[in-house]
Amino acid sequence: MLQEWRHVHNAIVPPAAMDLDEVRERGGRYRLENAYDGEVLVGCSTVRPPEGEEAVATVIARVLPEYRRRGYGTALYEKGLAHARVLGARVIETVVLAANEDGLRFAEARGFVEAERYVLDGESDLWLTLRNDSRNLAGT
């Protein structure tokens, strides 16, 4: 499971590629899931539990390019969102590599707005944190 999650993650965000030990460590802190169409791997997701006074959780849905626009991203996002709510999240964030235009459109279509832009130390790729507060989540 972790190797397949790693495959999707690394294919979609190569600047943040992880080795299997890094994925294992992340799996100990966050909920990692894979998505399949039958037995074919189509995507993965990450849910980071709520933190801070605002109870901000992070939900990230990733779908391999050849499987996009078929509802897999929506299913991954909704499942991750439901899990974040069970954990008490009041605000949801997601993180998108700025070069991932499909990912940005997906997030914006669900009411996310840019909250932060950053470049990781020693890197050059631009990342965006997008936020969707509970007022927008009620109907999601």
Side-chain angles (χ1 to χ4, degrees), residues 74-130:
T74 298
L76 277 166
Y77 170 70
E78 289 177 356
K79 188 173 182 181
L81 179 61
H83 183 69
R85 285 178 172 156
V86 167
L87 296 175
R90 292 192 310 270
V91 177
I92 301 295
E93 290 184 342
T94 194
V95 178
V96 179
L97 182 62
N100 181 352
E101 294 176 9
D102 286 341
L104 287 173
R105 275 192 298 275
F106 181 88
E108 289 168 351
R110 281 148 189 84
F112 284 87
V113 295
E114 185 179 322
E116 178 184 13
R117 290 176 169 248
Y118 59 94
V119 175
L120 298 172
D121 289 340
E123 302 292 327
S124 60
D125 295 289
L126 178 63
W127 294 87
L128 303 175
T129 298
L130 299 117

Side-chain angles (χ1 to χ4, degrees), residues 25-32 46-49 51:
E25 186 274 329
R26 187 165 286 195
R29 293 182 291 136
Y30 308 138
R31 180 176 181 219
L32 308 180
T46 302
V47 177
R48 299 176 189 164
E51 294 181 343

Side-chain angles (χ1 to χ4, degrees), residues 14 20 39 65-66 70 74 93 98 104:
L20 196 52
E39 295 193 21
E66 61 268 33
R70 299 185 196 180
T74 298
E93 290 184 342
L104 287 173

